[in-house]
Amino acid sequence: MENSNTSTAKSATVMTPEELFAHWQGHRDLTRRTIEAFPEKEFFTYSIGGMRTFAEMVMELLAIASPGIKEIVTGKTEEFKEHVDHKNSKKVILELWDKTTGELNEYFPKIKEEDFHKAIKSFGQYEGTVQSSIFYFIDNEIHHRGQGFVYLRSLNIEPPFFWERDK
Amino acid sequence: MENSNTSTAKSATVMTPEELFAHWQGHRDLTRRTIEAFPEKEFFTYSIGGMRTFAEMVMELLAIASPGIKEIVTGKTEEFKEHVDHKNSKKVILELWDKTTGELNEYFPKIKEEDFHKAIKSFGQYEGTVQSSIFYFIDNEIHHRGQGFVYLRSLNIEPPFFWERDK
């Protein structure tokens, strides 16, 4: 009976937690390669139309991903810290990116399957469910990375392929 | 027993088909407001770094959404037609957008729950599952709309709020 239930759940679901996580890590890998494509100087200084630099957008993504998932797992409100002492070095940012990857690998699988529709307030203020919050994190990353692609194109640099989600 | 199975399926799923569809229609509503924010002329002519105009990107989205979902439902390969006779009129594009919304409302609910993990080839060539294909359609829209936001900012026009998904 246990098996029969599990199989019903699996076939009726659009996406399993494992698939959602693989989907995000695929996107995060593409974002990492987008950071790598920027020249060091322009990553921290270049912008269009008064928008933020790509470095500032990436710091937002770093502030969201690992703290957001930790908060979901522990139930303890995390602080939203968008600024890091990057020393104008892409290496520092990429190290933080990889640290985040490791933390997500540790925490994401700890989200309980039955909790994906639980109501939460991310960072103590953004109302949603566990599921809608995680999709917001991912969609926000896709949105800003798309903007980074425009910065790269206007710098005459070819961005990575959007459809390639793994190295 | 029937009820107990359904409830297991519901609680164990990250996202129901209805939630996935509402998520996409929320994004589509934001994209529609992004089209509306463009001045008529710049929608069809403005670009940065040799990229496509926002009109061209939107025509790609129109070519994907309704034919892509119809193909999933009917199993018949759809043609990928990226160009429409828009007469340089946003009104024509917005009418096609709304026609697509109606077609999605008709076809999306016909996707069988047990088919979301079925292997398919979108437009006869892009391999994936029903689920991964639909996420590709949505992610591609988020990606290009983010680029449209940069075009708007560089035209000194404020884009709609990214987090607002309904009118």
Side-chain angles (χ1 to χ4, degrees):
Chain A
M1 213 50 236
E2 196 58 33
N3 273 344
S4 150
N5 269 351
T6 308
S7 133
T8 304
K10 175 89 188 173
S11 69
T13 196
V14 165
M15 191 173 224
T16 64
E18 293 74 23
E19 285 169 338
L20 175 59
F21 188 42
H23 181 70
W24 190 11
Q25 292 285 45
H27 272 300
R28 293 188 71 258
D29 187 68
L30 177 58
T31 306
R32 193 187 195 285
R33 283 180 286 124
T34 307
I35 299 168
E36 286 179 311
F38 269 84
E40 186 103 21
K41 184 180 163 220
E42 282 76 8
F43 179 68
F44 291 102
T45 57
Y46 189 72
S47 89
I48 291 176
M51 293 174 68
R52 290 175 295 172
T53 62
F54 196 54
E56 286 172 304
M57 297 182 194
V58 168
M59 283 191 287
E60 179 191 284
L61 303 180
L62 289 169
I64 290 173
S66 173
I69 296 301
K70 267 191 205 163
E71 189 178 68
I72 286 168
V73 170
T74 65
K76 285 184 209 151
T77 301
E78 290 274 338
E79 211 186 328
F80 188 67
K81 282 192 292 192
E82 270 192 290
H83 295 285
V84 294
D85 184 16
H86 54 60
K87 303 173 203 310
N88 290 316
S89 157
K90 277 204 321 183
K91 192 167 168 283
V92 171
I93 297 287
L94 287 170
E95 281 168 3
L96 287 170
W97 194 266
D98 296 338
K99 188 166 168 269
T100 295
T101 305
E103 289 169 356
L104 292 178
N105 284 337
E106 184 189 342
Y107 280 92
F108 197 103
K110 292 184 183 164
I111 303 173
K112 296 195 192 99
E113 287 212 353
E114 62 270 28
D115 279 355
F116 275 95
H117 287 84
K118 195 172 76 173
I120 55 165
K121 270 190 189 177
S122 282
F123 300 98
Q125 53 179 319
Y126 305 107
E127 292 192 14
T129 61
V130 166
Q131 175 253 82
S132 74
S133 302
I134 295 170
F135 275 103
Y136 190 87
F137 302 168
I138 299 172
D139 294 349
N140 182 59
E141 176 167 342
I142 299 170
H143 175 72
H144 287 311
R145 187 184 56 219
Q147 302 180 326
F149 272 41
V150 184
Y151 288 13
L152 286 173
R153 285 281 179 203
S154 78
L155 290 165
N156 212 18
I157 295 165
E158 186 159 5
F161 294 120
F162 176 68
W163 56 87
E164 265 186 23
R165 302 289 161 76
D166 295 295
K167 267 163 217 162
Chain B
M1 212 52 235
E2 198 57 32
N3 276 345
S4 150
N5 269 350
T6 308
S7 134
T8 305
K10 175 90 186 172
S11 69
T13 195
V14 165
M15 191 173 223
T16 65
E18 294 75 22
E19 285 168 338
L20 175 59
F21 188 41
H23 181 71
W24 190 10
Q25 292 286 43
H27 272 302
R28 293 189 69 258
D29 186 68
L30 177 59
T31 306
R32 193 187 195 284
R33 285 179 287 126
T34 307
I35 298 169
E36 286 178 311
F38 268 85
E40 187 103 20
K41 183 180 164 221
E42 280 76 7
F43 180 69
F44 291 102
T45 58
Y46 190 73
S47 89
I48 291 176
M51 293 174 69
R52 289 175 295 171
T53 62
F54 196 54
E56 286 172 303
M57 297 182 195
V58 168
M59 284 191 287
E60 179 192 283
L61 303 180
L62 289 168
I64 290 173
S66 175
I69 296 301
K70 265 190 207 164
E71 188 176 70
I72 286 168
V73 170
T74 65
K76 285 183 207 149
T77 301
E78 291 274 338
E79 211 185 328
F80 187 67
K81 282 193 291 195
E82 272 191 287
H83 295 286
V84 294
D85 185 15
H86 54 63
K87 304 174 204 308
N88 290 316
S89 157
K90 277 205 317 182
K91 192 165 169 283
V92 171
I93 298 287
L94 287 170
E95 281 168 3
L96 287 170
W97 195 265
D98 296 338
K99 185 166 170 271
T100 295
T101 305
E103 289 169 357
L104 292 179
N105 284 336
E106 183 188 342
Y107 280 93
F108 197 103
K110 292 184 182 164
I111 303 172
K112 297 195 193 97
E113 287 212 352
E114 62 270 27
D115 279 356
F116 276 93
H117 288 84
K118 195 172 76 174
I120 56 166
K121 269 190 192 178
S122 282
F123 301 97
Q125 52 180 319
Y126 305 105
E127 292 192 15
T129 62
V130 167
Q131 175 253 82
S132 75
S133 302
I134 295 171
F135 275 103
Y136 190 88
F137 301 169
I138 299 173
D139 294 349
N140 182 58
E141 176 168 343
I142 300 169
H143 175 72
H144 288 310
R145 187 184 56 219
Q147 301 180 326
F149 272 40
V150 183
Y151 287 14
L152 285 173
R153 286 280 179 201
S154 79
L155 290 165
N156 212 18
I157 295 165
E158 185 159 5
F161 294 118
F162 176 68
W163 55 88
E164 267 187 19
R165 300 291 161 75
D166 295 295
K167 267 166 219 159

